[in-house]
Amino acid sequence: MQKALAENEWNIVITDYVMPQFDAPAAIQILKDSERDIPIVVVSGTIGEDIAIETLKMGADDYLLKGNLIRLVPAVERSLEAASARRDKKALKHMKSLIMSNSLDMICTVNEFGKFTEVSAACHIMLGYRPAELLGEPFINFVYPADVEDTQDVAEAVMQGRPTKDFENRYVRKDGTLVSIMWSAFWSKEDNMLIAVARDITERKRNEEALLLRERALGEVSQGVLICDENRLIIYANSSFTSITGYTEAELLGVSCAILQGADTDPGTISKIRAAIREGKPFEGEILNYRKDGRAFWNDLSIAPIHSQVGGPIRFIGIQRDVTERKRAEQDLNFALERLQLAVKAGRVGTWEFNLLTGKVDWDDQMLALYGKTAENIEPGPERWANAMHPEDRAFMEVIYQEVLHEGKESFETEFRISRGDDGRQCYIRAMGIILRDKSGSSLRMIGINWDVTEERQREEKLSEALANEKELSEKARVGERAKNEFLAVMSHEVRTPLNGILGFSQLLAETPDLSQESREHVETITSSGQALLHILDDVLDFSRLSAERLQIESVRFAPREVMDDVCALFICQVNEKDLNLAVVIEEDIPSYLQGDAGRLRQILINLVGNALKFTEHGSITLSLRTENEGRFIFSVKDTGVGVAPDQADRIFEPFTQADSSISRKYGGTGLGLSISRRLAELMDGTLELESQYGKSSNFILTLPFETVIETSNVISEVMSRTFDTGFAILYPLHILVVEDDKVNLKLALSLIRRLGYDPIATKNGREAVDTHKREHPDCVLMDLQMPEMDGIVATEQIRALEKEHPGGKQSF
């Protein structure tokens, strides 16, 4: 048997079971040892069932009894078919093994539970795992979390008989990095498993993203980008190119790039461009092109060849910048420079130009004369200034130069010293210059003038020497400053004094019974005129104090609701006359008491409400208060008036300024109210801003920091709720001393006090007040500040000193 197997190829072996010194199991073993897949059929005269089963287990394809040889042919056929199927299966298995071991794509099978049952060797390269590490694991565990939901949906569809092709998702590699994978999968009903092939597309995705990024970058740049083929036909145009030229992308693709050329396009420049394209060289230059609508524009053009890496045709990329405005500015500048040159010739002013891109410097003849130089012995660049300049002036001139270049300044003016190149004389040079930039802000050139101010500086030095001998004049100037401050104080007192008389007596006159309507209107006119004059005076004095930084901020306890109600009460008559609605809105969480300068708050709110009333003819004015955060409170005055134009929003806060000149003629006013209000807000560490819709409304927003005062039980005096009549003195008896040097104000004060039922004592200066206090010991003293012989401050100090000498006596208040 061994010899026969070695000499020939056999399709089948038929063997007896029992033979001399040999049997079927030995034959089966010989066949196995030969490693040849030949079917074997065992024939036996007497074979038991257990021996038959053992024979089949050993590798026999079939067995039969010699008494039943009629089964031999079918047995042979079956064995040959089984062997063929076995060989096919083995070949298939071998092929599968080769594919699973060598395929660059990852091949895997997944059972109905979603677990890997077989994985090719490529998984180690693709995912970093060896096949054994994946077997039995749910495939979804390796999917990137953001892709899990989509992956599960696709897997379920495949298991339901809908195969997928080119599905993309991301897996997490063993080292934690991500890999992009493209899947094709189908469900095998016979094997009850999902079979999938996966390809690593990470590099392709990276290239696609890079390509997309480059394409997006080209589309987003502000310069126009154009790509042409070797025949100068357009194959790409970005959005900036279409925006500049007015053509759509569809109108440009496949068209010659000469579409932008027109009647005045320079033929010489066109020839240079075409020569560069023929030779595959870059081109830089400016050319006059035309938009779709026929308008000309100057194009700063850069063209570069793009050579194919595989020897294909050359492409050309063109980058264009619309420099029409720059060219126009240059033309205007040249025109202005020509006019300047005509003007400066008469004044012996030298002109210069410094090209920041090339470093070239141009001086005219007058500049050379100023520096004592000639065209033959002058340095070529900006060092001509540095070499002539005094060493002590070079550092600060370098600072000025850097500021102009890098901090966005448009011009400069300075002065420095030089040593002339011919006779070595030291001269003072005054320099002015402006800088020219392109649309992107890049510096292009500087132009300016120089002129000799040596004689002026010499005169100034002489004048300085003369002024040094005039110390007396300086002292007089200081005396004048003090006199100005005293004048303001005197003006405040002297103007307010008659105004108080006018306002006080007009109020008393208005309360006169049986006053005719005409007379009452005259009194109201006097009152409103006096109040207007007093308001102007207050504005001027406050502005003066603010300018001199002499205004102090106080801190007192006050009720914000009362302040707002008081402010609105001042304007109730004017509001009613104009038939407006004046409302006060206060949020519920506003504290009852705050700590701060209530007087300055009231002054700002009066200015804002008065301003709103002035410019509102119909509708409403709303004064509101809310809290923004702890310690900061927002007051707003909103009206339905004429509003403020956007370009005037900041201007109205400037002193002596209104939105336009017609306002002062129509509404009056000094133009100081809003300026004072903003400066007061800033002194109080707050802000005052405007939100306005021109022609519709204005909203002034005042934000101030205040401390919250914890409420305590306070008894409100009955005095605040009583009517001030002659019965007041009976309920609250007082001995009152009035000290006032002005007859009108004294008469007014006495009249008002007597209306309360008192009989006051009057004195005309501080000295009389002190003497009277010694005799009368009054309960209350109403003291004027500025008086002849002795002012109110000194008189009050002496009265307090007298009270300390007699501590058991009555003290005035």
Side-chain angles (χ1 to χ4, degrees):
M1 180 178 180
Q2 290 174 341
K3 181 181 178 183
L5 288 174
E7 290 177 349
N8 294 292
E9 292 291 333
W10 304 96
N11 298 106
I12 192 168
V13 175
I14 301 174
T15 179
D16 192 5
Y17 186 85
V18 178
M19 294 168 288
Q21 299 179 352
F22 190 57
D23 58 11
I28 294 172
Q29 187 61 46
I30 289 173
L31 192 59
K32 283 183 178 180
D33 292 342
S34 70
E35 297 182 350
R36 297 172 70 179
D37 187 8
I38 303 174
I40 183 167
V41 178
V42 178
V43 181
S44 177
T46 57
I47 184 169
E49 184 177 345
D50 53 342
I51 295 175
I53 292 173
E54 184 66 25
T55 303
L56 291 175
K57 285 183 178 179
M58 288 183 66
D61 289 276
D62 204 350
Y63 71 94
L64 64 157
L65 294 173
K66 292 180 179 179
N68 195 18
L69 289 179
I70 194 170
R71 289 185 59 246
L72 180 60
V73 173
V76 169
E77 290 176 347
R78 284 196 303 272
S79 298
L80 290 173
E81 290 174 357
S84 177
R86 234 180 7 255
R87 284 192 292 272
D88 291 344
K89 186 175 181 180
K90 183 176 180 181
L92 184 63
K93 184 177 181 180
H94 179 66
M95 183 182 297
K96 179 181 174 183
S97 176
L98 289 175
I99 293 172
M100 295 290 281
S101 300
N102 299 288
S103 174
L104 296 178
D105 294 335
M106 186 177 86
I107 304 171
C108 64
T109 59
V110 176
N111 62 19
E112 69 269 28
F113 304 109
K115 296 183 178 180
F116 286 114
T117 56
E118 194 171 6
V119 185
S120 70
C123 69
H124 186 247
I125 298 173
M126 193 176 296
L127 300 179
Y129 295 96
R130 297 191 178 278
E133 295 179 276
L134 297 178
L135 294 179
E137 295 293 331
F139 79 93
I140 203 69
N141 290 353
F142 302 91
V143 177
Y144 181 57
D147 297 345
V148 165
E149 185 175 351
D150 290 342
T151 304
Q152 286 177 328
D153 291 343
V154 171
E156 289 175 4
V158 172
M159 290 179 178
Q160 292 172 6
R162 297 195 299 272
T164 183
K165 186 178 180 182
D166 299 340
F167 169 69
E168 295 180 9
N169 66 354
R170 290 165 293 180
Y171 270 59
V172 181
R173 289 172 53 86
K174 187 174 183 179
D175 60 6
T177 59
L178 295 183
V179 57
S180 295
I181 294 177
M182 178 185 289
W183 290 93
S184 293
F186 67 94
W187 181 258
S188 173
K189 290 183 179 180
E190 295 79 6
D191 303 313
N192 197 32
M193 66 176 60
L194 183 149
I195 302 174
V197 178
R199 176 165 295 177
D200 185 347
I201 59 171
T202 305
E203 187 64 27
R204 193 195 79 187
K205 295 289 285 186
R206 187 179 295 115
N207 292 336
E208 288 176 355
E209 290 174 0
L211 183 62
L212 181 63
L213 180 63
R214 286 195 292 269
E215 196 168 304
R216 184 174 298 173
L218 285 176
E220 295 296 330
V221 294
S222 60
Q223 292 88 0
V225 178
L226 192 71
I227 300 178
C228 297
D229 63 14
E230 68 277 13
N231 298 316
R232 297 188 294 115
L233 299 180
I234 299 171
I235 59 176
Y236 172 82
N238 72 344
S239 58
S240 294
F241 187 90
T242 60
S243 176
I244 292 172
T245 64
Y247 290 98
T248 65
E249 186 178 8
E251 292 173 323
L252 292 169
L253 295 181
V255 177
S256 170
C257 57
I259 190 174
L260 300 181
Q261 297 170 12
D264 293 329
T265 303
D266 180 31
T269 305
I270 295 175
S271 298
K272 292 179 181 178
I273 294 174
R274 291 179 178 175
I277 291 176
R278 282 196 305 271
E279 298 172 10
K281 295 180 179 179
F283 171 83
E284 297 279 346
E286 294 180 355
I287 187 171
L288 185 68
N289 283 152
Y290 290 82
R291 296 182 173 90
K292 181 181 177 181
D293 59 11
R295 290 181 297 129
F297 71 99
W298 278 100
N299 185 1
D300 185 1
L301 183 62
S302 299
I303 299 177
I306 307 174
H307 296 276
S308 173
Q309 294 181 350
V310 293
I314 297 177
R315 300 291 187 261
F316 295 90
I317 182 169
I319 301 176
Q320 69 172 23
R321 292 165 290 275
D322 184 351
V323 293
T324 307
E325 291 300 322
R326 192 194 77 191
K327 295 287 288 186
R328 185 177 293 114
E330 289 177 351
Q331 292 171 356
D332 293 343
L333 184 62
N334 290 333
F335 179 68
L337 188 58
E338 290 176 2
R339 296 178 61 184
L340 177 63
Q341 288 173 344
L342 292 175
V344 300
K345 278 185 178 180
R348 293 190 299 178
V349 176
T351 62
W352 53 267
E353 180 176 350
F354 178 19
N355 190 316
L356 298 169
L357 300 179
T358 64
K360 181 182 178 183
V361 175
D362 290 323
W363 279 10
D364 67 358
D365 293 340
Q366 186 59 40
M367 281 289 293
L368 295 172
L370 285 175
Y371 284 75
K373 294 281 189 174
T374 64
E376 290 74 22
N377 66 0
I378 192 68
E379 297 85 345
E383 62 271 16
R384 60 179 66 180
W385 276 292
N387 293 343
M389 196 176 297
H390 193 286
E392 296 177 1
D393 295 345
R394 291 172 186 164
F396 85 86
M397 284 301 299
E398 177 64 23
V399 171
I400 292 174
Y401 175 72
Q402 294 299 329
E403 287 178 350
V404 171
L405 282 187
H406 304 299
E407 296 185 12
K409 291 189 175 182
E410 299 298 330
S411 63
F412 69 90
E413 183 173 355
T414 186
E415 189 174 299
F416 51 85
R417 294 166 292 176
I418 67 164
S419 296
R420 287 175 56 89
D422 49 3
D423 54 17
R425 285 187 297 115
Q426 178 174 293
C427 297
Y428 287 85
I429 298 296
R430 191 71 179 167
M432 295 177 63
I434 61 174
I435 186 165
L436 181 66
R437 293 183 171 88
D438 60 19
K439 291 177 69 174
S440 66
S442 299
S443 304
L444 299 176
R445 63 182 67 178
M446 299 172 67
I447 63 169
I449 56 176
N450 281 183
W451 70 96
D452 191 336
V453 292
T454 306
E455 293 183 1
E456 296 177 23
R457 297 299 163 261
Q458 291 173 347
R459 287 196 298 269
E460 289 174 359
E461 290 175 2
K462 292 179 181 178
L463 181 60
S464 177
E465 293 175 0
L467 290 176
N469 298 325
E470 299 294 333
K471 292 184 180 180
E472 184 178 351
L473 294 177
S474 178
E475 182 61 28
K476 287 182 179 180
R478 287 194 293 271
V479 171
E481 179 64 22
R482 289 195 297 271
K484 183 187 77 171
N485 295 337
E486 292 174 2
F487 169 75
L488 288 174
V490 171
M491 183 181 75
S492 175
H493 179 268
E494 295 302 326
V495 176
R496 286 179 189 276
T497 296
L499 270 178
N500 288 336
I502 293 170
L503 293 174
F505 279 108
S506 65
Q507 181 180 354
L508 292 176
L509 184 58
E511 297 174 1
T512 302
D514 302 328
L515 194 65
S516 68
Q517 181 61 33
E518 183 179 5
S519 298
R520 192 173 301 281
E521 290 175 357
H522 292 338
V523 172
E524 290 175 355
T525 301
I526 294 172
T527 302
S528 62
S529 299
Q531 289 174 342
L533 184 58
L534 185 61
H535 184 68
I536 292 173
L537 176 64
D538 288 340
D539 281 351
V540 173
L541 292 177
D542 279 343
F543 182 75
S544 177
R545 293 190 191 98
L546 285 168
S547 298
E549 299 182 353
R550 296 197 305 271
L551 194 144
Q552 300 296 319
I553 298 300
E554 299 179 346
S555 180
V556 297
R557 179 177 179 267
F558 69 94
R561 291 174 176 82
E562 292 181 8
V563 171
M564 296 172 69
D565 288 339
D566 290 347
V567 170
C568 290
L570 293 174
F571 297 98
I572 195 64
C573 292
Q574 299 175 57
V575 168
N576 292 335
E577 286 178 5
K578 299 184 77 170
D579 195 21
L580 300 174
N581 180 35
L582 177 59
V584 177
V585 179
I586 303 177
E587 286 188 352
E588 294 181 358
D589 58 349
I590 299 299
S592 298
Y593 293 97
L594 299 175
Q595 188 80 15
D597 196 329
R600 295 302 173 188
L601 171 62
R602 183 181 288 105
Q603 181 179 355
I604 296 173
L605 295 180
I606 288 173
N607 276 337
L608 297 180
V609 174
N611 188 73
L613 184 61
K614 183 189 297 185
F615 297 105
T616 304
E617 298 298 332
H618 307 285
S620 63
I621 300 171
T622 303
L623 172 59
S624 62
L625 171 60
R626 60 185 173 87
T627 180
E628 184 179 51
N629 48 45
E630 186 176 354
R632 297 193 76 82
F633 297 86
I634 301 175
F635 299 82
S636 70
V637 178
K638 187 173 183 179
D639 63 59
T640 58
V642 297
V644 179
D647 58 339
Q648 300 293 336
D650 290 328
R651 188 170 180 266
I652 62 172
F653 289 103
E654 298 176 4
F656 305 107
T657 302
Q658 293 174 327
D660 59 65
S661 59
S662 64
I663 288 178
S664 60
R665 296 194 297 270
K666 182 176 181 180
Y667 299 101
T670 61
L672 288 174
L674 292 179
S675 174
I676 291 172
S677 297
R678 172 172 275 188
R679 295 180 70 174
L680 286 175
E682 291 170 351
L683 279 176
M684 298 165 72
D685 295 327
T687 59
L688 176 59
E689 303 295 338
L690 168 64
E691 294 177 352
S692 181
Q693 289 184 304
Y694 187 51
K696 293 183 178 180
S697 65
S698 295
N699 187 16
F700 287 89
I701 301 171
L702 172 66
T703 304
L704 293 174
F706 289 122
E707 295 180 13
T708 300
V709 178
I710 299 176
E711 296 184 40
T712 57
S713 57
N714 292 302
V715 178
I716 300 176
S717 172
E718 281 185 44
V719 179
M720 302 304 295
S721 60
R722 276 191 55 87
T723 302
F724 293 151
D725 54 20
T726 54
F728 190 89
I730 298 173
L731 189 59
Y732 304 99
L734 292 172
H735 191 33
I736 299 174
L737 170 62
V738 180
V739 188
E740 172 63 67
D741 65 312
D742 184 80
K743 293 180 180 180
V744 175
N745 276 313
L746 178 60
K747 183 178 180 181
L748 175 61
L750 293 176
S751 298
L752 293 173
I753 293 171
R754 285 170 182 152
R755 284 195 170 202
L756 299 177
Y758 294 108
D759 185 16
I761 305 170
T763 59
K764 297 181 180 179
N765 58 58
R767 192 175 302 284
E768 291 182 9
V770 174
D771 295 339
T772 302
H773 191 279
K774 290 179 181 178
R775 297 192 311 271
E776 301 293 338
H777 303 291
D779 300 297
C780 177
V781 179
L782 302 179
M783 181 76 72
D784 188 15
L785 281 178
Q786 294 184 358
M787 296 178 293
E789 296 190 36
M790 181 184 291
D791 62 27
I793 299 296
V794 176
T796 301
E797 290 174 348
Q798 292 191 12
I799 289 172
R800 291 304 187 201
L802 289 173
E803 291 173 346
K804 290 180 181 179
E805 291 177 4
H806 305 284
K810 181 171 60 174
Q811 287 193 335
S812 301
F813 59 88

